[in-house]
Amino acid sequence: MKNVDINQLLAARITERQDNLYRLAFYYVKNQEDALDIVQESIRKALVSSNKIKDVSSIDSWLYKIIVRTALDVLRKKKKLTVADDETIEYLRRGEEDHYPDLDLQEALEGLSLKYRTIVVLRFFEDLKLEEIAEVLEENVSTVKTRLYKALQLLRTKMTEQGETKRWKKN
Protein backbone atom coordinates (compact mmCIF):
# COMPACT_ATOMS: atom_id res chain seq x y z
CA MET A 1 0.00 0.00 0.00
CA LYS A 2 1.27 3.46 -0.83
CA ASN A 3 2.45 5.74 1.95
CA VAL A 4 -0.20 8.34 1.02
CA ASP A 5 -2.95 5.70 1.33
CA ILE A 6 -1.65 4.55 4.70
CA ASN A 7 -1.47 8.13 5.97
CA GLN A 8 -5.05 8.76 4.86
CA LEU A 9 -6.22 5.54 6.48
CA LEU A 10 -4.27 6.35 9.63
CA ALA A 11 -5.76 9.84 9.78
CA ALA A 12 -9.24 8.39 9.38
CA ARG A 13 -8.65 5.83 12.18
CA ILE A 14 -7.26 8.52 14.48
CA THR A 15 -10.32 10.69 13.84
CA GLU A 16 -12.69 7.78 14.46
CA ARG A 17 -10.89 6.71 17.63
CA GLN A 18 -9.93 10.10 19.05
CA ASP A 19 -12.20 9.81 22.10
CA ASN A 20 -10.93 6.30 22.87
CA LEU A 21 -7.31 7.38 22.47
CA TYR A 22 -7.85 10.34 24.78
CA ARG A 23 -9.70 8.25 27.36
CA LEU A 24 -6.91 5.67 27.40
CA ALA A 25 -4.26 8.36 27.85
CA PHE A 26 -6.31 10.08 30.55
CA TYR A 27 -6.70 6.81 32.41
CA TYR A 28 -2.94 6.72 32.91
CA VAL A 29 -2.21 10.34 33.81
CA LYS A 30 -5.53 11.56 35.31
CA ASN A 31 -4.89 15.00 33.89
CA GLN A 32 -6.50 16.63 30.85
CA GLU A 33 -3.43 18.54 29.67
CA ASP A 34 -1.08 15.57 29.98
CA ALA A 35 -3.60 13.28 28.27
CA LEU A 36 -3.93 15.70 25.36
CA ASP A 37 -0.13 15.95 25.14
CA ILE A 38 0.12 12.15 25.09
CA VAL A 39 -2.44 11.89 22.30
CA GLN A 40 -0.72 14.62 20.31
CA GLU A 41 2.73 13.06 20.74
CA SER A 42 1.34 9.61 19.89
CA ILE A 43 -0.26 10.91 16.70
CA ARG A 44 3.02 12.54 15.74
CA LYS A 45 4.88 9.26 16.37
CA ALA A 46 2.28 7.33 14.37
CA LEU A 47 2.47 9.65 11.38
CA VAL A 48 6.27 9.70 11.38
CA SER A 49 6.50 5.92 11.45
CA SER A 50 3.43 5.11 9.34
CA ASN A 51 5.67 3.53 6.71
CA LYS A 52 6.38 0.71 9.22
CA ILE A 53 2.77 -0.49 9.12
CA LYS A 54 2.77 -3.89 7.49
CA ASP A 55 -0.82 -4.95 8.11
CA VAL A 56 -3.50 -2.25 7.90
CA SER A 57 -5.89 -4.41 9.93
CA SER A 58 -3.67 -3.90 12.97
CA ILE A 59 -3.68 -0.09 12.89
CA ASP A 60 -5.95 0.14 15.95
CA SER A 61 -3.78 -2.02 18.16
CA TRP A 62 -0.70 -0.23 16.83
CA LEU A 63 -2.21 3.13 17.86
CA TYR A 64 -3.11 1.78 21.31
CA LYS A 65 0.45 0.52 21.70
CA ILE A 66 1.82 3.97 20.92
CA ILE A 67 -0.61 5.62 23.38
CA VAL A 68 0.24 3.16 26.17
CA ARG A 69 3.98 3.51 25.68
CA THR A 70 3.84 7.30 25.46
CA ALA A 71 1.70 7.45 28.61
CA LEU A 72 4.13 5.17 30.45
CA ASP A 73 7.01 7.39 29.32
CA VAL A 74 5.22 10.44 30.73
CA LEU A 75 4.57 8.63 34.02
CA ARG A 76 8.19 7.56 34.25
CA LYS A 77 9.31 11.13 33.70
CA LYS A 78 6.92 12.50 36.30
CA LYS A 79 7.18 9.60 38.77
CA LYS A 80 3.82 10.61 40.19
CA LEU A 81 0.13 10.53 39.42
CA THR A 82 -1.94 13.67 39.56
CA VAL A 83 -5.49 14.01 40.79
CA ALA A 84 -8.12 15.17 38.33
CA ASP A 85 -9.56 18.61 38.98
CA ASP A 86 -13.31 19.38 38.95
CA GLU A 87 -13.14 20.96 35.49
CA THR A 88 -11.58 17.81 34.01
CA ILE A 89 -14.10 15.55 35.69
CA GLU A 90 -16.97 17.66 34.36
CA TYR A 91 -15.42 17.65 30.87
CA LEU A 92 -15.19 13.87 30.90
CA ARG A 93 -18.70 13.50 32.25
CA ARG A 94 -20.02 15.10 29.05
CA GLY A 95 -18.12 12.54 26.96
CA GLU A 96 -19.14 9.26 25.43
CA GLU A 97 -21.04 6.65 27.42
CA ASP A 98 -17.87 5.25 29.02
CA HIS A 99 -17.90 7.05 32.33
CA TYR A 100 -17.14 5.15 35.48
CA PRO A 101 -19.92 5.68 38.03
CA ASP A 102 -18.81 2.75 40.18
CA LEU A 103 -16.17 4.36 42.35
CA ASP A 104 -15.51 1.09 44.20
CA LEU A 105 -14.43 -0.48 40.93
CA GLN A 106 -12.36 2.59 40.07
CA GLU A 107 -10.70 2.41 43.48
CA ALA A 108 -10.03 -1.31 43.13
CA LEU A 109 -8.55 -0.77 39.64
CA GLU A 110 -6.25 1.94 40.98
CA GLY A 111 -5.02 -0.56 43.57
CA LEU A 112 -3.80 -2.96 40.87
CA SER A 113 -0.24 -2.80 39.65
CA LEU A 114 0.19 -1.18 36.24
CA LYS A 115 0.77 -4.48 34.41
CA TYR A 116 -2.60 -5.84 35.59
CA ARG A 117 -4.53 -2.58 35.32
CA THR A 118 -3.38 -2.03 31.73
CA ILE A 119 -4.71 -5.41 30.64
CA VAL A 120 -8.07 -4.90 32.39
CA VAL A 121 -8.51 -1.44 30.87
CA LEU A 122 -7.59 -2.57 27.36
CA ARG A 123 -9.83 -5.64 27.59
CA PHE A 124 -12.95 -4.30 29.26
CA PHE A 125 -12.89 -0.54 28.75
CA GLU A 126 -11.33 -0.39 25.29
CA ASP A 127 -12.82 -3.74 24.20
CA LEU A 128 -9.64 -5.16 22.68
CA LYS A 129 -9.28 -8.88 22.05
CA LEU A 130 -6.61 -10.81 23.95
CA GLU A 131 -4.54 -11.12 20.79
CA GLU A 132 -4.66 -7.35 20.27
CA ILE A 133 -3.65 -6.73 23.88
CA ALA A 134 -0.74 -9.12 23.45
CA GLU A 135 0.32 -7.18 20.36
CA VAL A 136 0.03 -3.82 22.15
CA LEU A 137 2.03 -5.00 25.15
CA GLU A 138 4.38 -7.18 23.09
CA GLU A 139 3.64 -10.19 25.28
CA ASN A 140 2.52 -13.74 24.56
CA VAL A 141 -1.23 -14.29 24.48
CA SER A 142 -0.83 -16.84 27.29
CA THR A 143 0.92 -14.21 29.44
CA VAL A 144 -1.92 -11.77 28.81
CA LYS A 145 -4.49 -14.43 29.72
CA THR A 146 -2.64 -15.28 32.93
CA ARG A 147 -2.34 -11.62 33.94
CA LEU A 148 -5.99 -10.97 33.12
CA TYR A 149 -7.07 -13.94 35.23
CA LYS A 150 -4.84 -12.78 38.11
CA ALA A 151 -6.10 -9.19 37.79
CA LEU A 152 -9.72 -10.36 37.92
CA GLN A 153 -8.93 -12.43 41.01
CA LEU A 154 -7.33 -9.42 42.69
CA LEU A 155 -10.27 -7.19 41.72
CA ARG A 156 -12.75 -9.71 43.08
CA THR A 157 -10.84 -9.86 46.37
CA LYS A 158 -10.60 -6.06 46.64
CA MET A 159 -14.27 -5.55 45.76
CA THR A 160 -15.32 -8.18 48.32
CA GLU A 161 -13.15 -6.54 50.99
CA GLN A 162 -14.58 -3.11 50.15
CA GLY A 163 -18.12 -4.47 50.34
CA GLU A 164 -17.47 -6.03 53.73
CA THR A 165 -15.89 -2.79 54.99
CA LYS A 166 -18.94 -0.80 53.88
CA ARG A 167 -21.33 -3.24 55.57
CA TRP A 168 -19.24 -3.02 58.72
CA LYS A 169 -19.35 0.79 58.71
CA LYS A 170 -23.13 0.85 58.16
CA ASN A 171 -23.77 -1.32 61.23
Side-chain angles (χ1 to χ4, degrees):
M1 193 174 243
K2 292 181 185 175
N3 201 24
V4 174
D5 294 340
I6 289 179
N7 283 340
Q8 289 173 344
L9 180 61
L10 183 59
R13 296 307 292 164
I14 289 169
T15 303
E16 290 169 13
R17 299 274 187 203
Q18 66 185 349
D19 291 339
N20 294 350
L21 298 174
Y22 172 78
R23 198 171 28 255
L24 182 59
F26 184 86
Y27 186 81
Y28 280 94
V29 293
K30 307 285 189 276
N31 176 296
Q32 182 179 354
E33 290 82 19
D34 288 343
L36 290 171
D37 288 345
I38 288 168
V39 172
Q40 181 178 359
E41 178 63 15
S42 298
I43 291 170
R44 186 196 66 74
K45 289 177 180 178
L47 291 172
V48 165
S49 59
S50 64
N51 59 335
K52 295 178 183 175
I53 297 173
K54 293 175 179 72
D55 182 12
V56 293
S57 65
S58 65
I59 285 180
D60 287 343
S61 59
W62 184 70
L63 283 171
Y64 283 124
K65 182 190 300 187
I66 294 171
I67 290 283
V68 168
R69 289 197 174 158
T70 305
L72 292 174
D73 288 346
V74 167
L75 288 177
R76 273 187 221 109
K77 287 177 187 171
K78 285 191 162 204
K79 288 284 188 189
K80 66 176 184 161
L81 294 176
T82 56
V83 178
D85 55 54
D86 291 337
E87 180 183 316
T88 303
I89 292 171
E90 188 57 37
Y91 171 79
L92 290 175
R93 203 174 276 151
R94 288 183 255 129
E96 210 172 298
E97 62 197 71
D98 271 357
H99 50 61
Y100 310 110
D102 190 345
L103 294 179
D104 291 339
L105 176 59
Q106 183 75 20
E107 206 172 284
L109 275 171
E110 292 298 327
L112 291 177
S113 69
L114 199 55
K115 71 179 181 181
Y116 294 129
R117 187 173 51 218
T118 298
I119 291 174
V120 170
V121 168
L122 290 174
R123 177 66 187 105
F124 296 107
F125 295 95
E126 297 303 326
D127 204 27
L128 294 183
K129 296 176 185 163
L130 293 174
E131 294 79 14
E132 293 171 324
I133 296 169
E135 186 179 331
V136 167
L137 300 178
E138 293 184 343
E139 297 282 356
N140 293 324
V141 175
S142 59
T143 302
V144 170
K145 286 179 184 178
T146 302
R147 287 184 184 167
L148 179 60
Y149 179 73
K150 178 69 174 174
L152 293 175
Q153 282 181 320
L154 291 169
L155 280 175
R156 187 176 302 117
T157 303
K158 287 176 190 252
M159 295 294 288
T160 302
E161 288 171 0
Q162 287 175 352
E164 289 172 3
T165 303
K166 284 185 179 181
R167 277 195 297 271
W168 173 257
K169 288 181 181 179
K170 284 182 182 178
N171 295 330

